[in-house]
Amino acid sequence: MTLIIVESPTKAKTISKFLGPKFTVKSSFGHIRDLPEREMGIDVENDFAPKYVVNRKAQEKVKPLKADAKKADFVILATDEDREGEAIAWHLSEILKLKPDEKNRIVFHEITKTAIQKALDSPRKINFDLVDAQQARRILDRLVGFELSPLLWKKIKYGLSAGRVQSIALRIIAEREREIEKFKKEEYWTITAQLETKSPIGDLVSKNYFEATLTHQNDKKIEETVTLKLFAGDYKTKKSTIKDEKTAGEIKAELEKAAFKVSEIAKKETTRTPPPPFTTSTLQQAAINSLGYSAKTTMMLAQKLYEQGHITYMRTDSTNLSMESMLAARKTIEKKFGSEYALGSPRFYKTKSKGAQEAHEAIRPTNPAQTPEDLAKLDDRQRKLYALIWRRMVASQMQPAVLNSVKVLIGAKGSPCSFAQNQDQQNEVISKQVSEQKKERGAKNEYILQANGSTVKFDGYLKVYGDKMPVSENLLPDLKEKEGLDLEKINTAQKFTTPPPRYSEATLVKVLEEYGIGRPSTYAPTISTIIDRKYVEKNEEKKLQPLEIGLLVNDLLVEHFPGIVDMRFTAQMEEDLDKVAGGEKKWVPIVKKFYDPFHENLVSKSKEIKKEDMLEKLDRKCPECGGDLLVKFGRFGKFIACSKYPECKYTEKTEDEKKFEEENSGEVCEKCGAPMVVKRGRFGPFLGCSKYPECKNIKPIVKKTGVQCPKCEEGEIVERKSKRGRIFYGCSRYPDCDYSLWNKPTGETCPQCGGLLTFAAKGKQKCANKECGYEKS
């Protein structure tokens, strides 16, 4: 009998289906050895030798694995093919006392019968370069966490943590918050004209009017793009030369008296090539943006799809596809969409990810012929993620989309203009012609407006997206050059320059990948950690916003441990680990080079940093001893305490806490009639009976929105949590009224259907009624 060991029971169950009675497949249920929980477990004096222990949960799994290994003729380690999987295989080999030189390791990037058989035909030895790379990462993270975290406990608050990658992620979010705070909004105005043509409107267009935007006044552009240099990349924002309502009104008055004429029409055919199949990073970004899944949820669902044999391995930074999968995709395309949508030869993509490592395939369906509709047995969330992966991979092997675009320049007061080959030449032509026209006519001002239209000539790969085609069409009437146009209306709109946006999970993952911070396996746990530590929260727009404690931790690290939160330093460390995995470097010198200066600085800063310097000092004294009053962080939030603690143990609540208690007071215990008071526990504030412990009645504090339930018109929409911990909003009269929605209501109603408007991503608001589809910025 041959024993095959994998990490998860689901994976074991799937593989068992492909093998006969001569094979037994068992699961280790993840890691079976790791560094000890209550001690550092690293001998820094002896080349950072790690001390591995079998953790408590794994102990009950090890005994039956040892028994099965003794019975087996041969043991095969079939854990995942990345560094983490290689390390698990090595730990299993050590525990089961397998021969280190034995070819007992198999790898595969998809769980199919063909892939499993191919792997069994070509076993190899354990790759100790990969093991060393994982071990080095684990040791580095343990050194930082075990030595730096206690400093945060002493100087700020107990229970805080620091880490190589999580601290960089926190800094990126914190720096963006400071950039938003420093940003000064500037008012500007835009002007559009509703114009009408007398020409026939054509077969595709149902209206003879269209909108054009003012782009030039005399020889100057109205709107320009300003680039801001930020901590993590550049940010572009728009501003205009029309600074106030008065100027906008003057231009509007002139345009209302102007004659409008089509100066030139430029038509262009463009092709749009499909994006490459998913990597871990791009899958997370797409799932967050399209499905609303967090990075953690995305990876959990992808893991299940992989273990069930539906997709290839989900931790990868490669965009490669196997020849077999591309040929299979072509057959599916020809059958489902027609031969005109299929490529003559496969399309290959080049991996662009910085520091791309193990040569996996991209994330793709194991069988492209299996459409999302064929997997109705999957739960809803898994099926939606599979559909996202399937469409992306199939689209990558389809014909490009062909788009027709048209750009129309319209002169006011008869100002002519002409298109040039690029934007700079176009601006020069516009400027020159406007100036000449002014000389000829002696006009006070000459204006140029622009209208853009686009149509899909051939949908190509967009066909796979059906109604959810990621391209919007804007049809213009069939205009002619030199044609005069009638003015329907001039619209002016006040706008403000926008600050750089806060990061969503998707944009944070993108930045981490761009700068080489972390690797595919670390993005999701990194984000989860900084949210779980209450350094960051997701606001109503699902953007990552730093909390006060997060800003405080970041400020301490930036000032006193700049190397830990330096992006270039961290990216270089990742590159060094890649070289360890490739056999180009040894791990011990890399760890030593990092640890020695880090530890020396830590010892120095432990003495230098005073806790009082990290805390907010109030401008009043302790009423009991006259000492300074400080705002401290406790287990359940902020409180005010005397600086002379422990000699003086005076404390009081903050003004925010007093206000919170006041807002949530007034309820009476339904069991004993005593007042209910605000209390705090490990899961946050709640209401408890004031007669505790005689009466142990407790109630949750309901977060109200002030919005009436549109279904029963009696209850109020309040914040709730699902069984999975996801926040949603529902009627306070539940279960009598079951009205619910995922996004927080704004308090406004939809102008189209009368439903509730809710907060949405990118600062937008959308109707809660999915059939309506109304959305506004």
Side-chain angles (χ1 to χ4, degrees), residues 55 87 104 128 175 188 231 286 306 355 424 449-450 547 616 645 772:
N55 60 57
N104 57 7
F128 285 97
E175 294 288 352
Y188 72 97
F231 174 73
Y306 166 68
D424 292 336
L449 296 91
Q450 184 172 306
L547 296 171
E616 179 187 350
Y645 177 86
C772 172

Side-chain angles (χ1 to χ4, degrees), residues 663-689:
E663 289 174 349
N664 291 280
S665 63
E667 290 202 37
V668 175
C669 177
E670 62 268 27
K671 291 187 177 180
C672 70
M676 299 290 281
V677 295
V678 176
K679 297 188 176 185
R680 290 187 178 272
R682 57 182 297 196
F683 300 111
F686 63 95
L687 291 176
C689 183

Side-chain angles (χ1 to χ4, degrees), residues 583-632:
E584 300 173 47
K585 282 190 173 185
K586 297 298 182 183
W587 71 270
V588 173
I590 291 173
V591 175
K592 183 175 178 59
K593 183 180 177 181
F594 165 81
Y595 179 74
D596 287 351
F598 164 73
H599 182 72
E600 183 180 346
N601 185 47
L602 182 74
V603 173
S604 172
K605 294 297 181 180
S606 297
K607 299 173 183 177
E608 177 187 328
I609 302 171
K610 304 297 182 186
K611 184 169 185 175
E612 293 74 16
D613 296 336
M614 301 302 302
L615 303 175
E616 179 187 350
K617 184 178 178 181
L618 302 181
D619 58 358
R620 54 192 177 91
K621 300 294 182 180
C622 173
E624 293 187 0
C625 73
D628 293 329
L629 287 179
L630 304 173
V631 178
K632 294 187 174 183

Side-chain angles (χ1 to χ4, degrees), residues 108-172:
F108 39 85
H109 63 268
E110 60 181 350
I111 304 176
T112 61
K113 186 173 183 178
T114 302
I116 300 301
Q117 190 57 58
K118 187 176 179 181
L120 287 170
D121 291 341
S122 54
R124 62 166 173 81
K125 299 177 184 178
I126 289 174
N127 185 331
F128 285 97
D129 291 332
L130 293 179
V131 174
D132 286 347
Q134 187 277 342
Q135 185 167 248
R137 177 188 292 279
R138 185 73 184 94
I139 289 171
L140 283 167
D141 290 343
R142 174 54 66 98
L143 290 169
V144 173
F146 243 75
E147 295 204 355
L148 188 51
S149 296
L151 179 89
L152 298 179
W153 303 350
K154 294 174 184 176
K155 307 302 180 183
I156 301 179
K157 174 191 170 185
Y158 182 80
L160 301 179
S161 72
R164 287 186 319 111
V165 178
Q166 78 171 59
S167 297
I168 282 284
L170 174 61
R171 184 179 183 186
I172 291 170

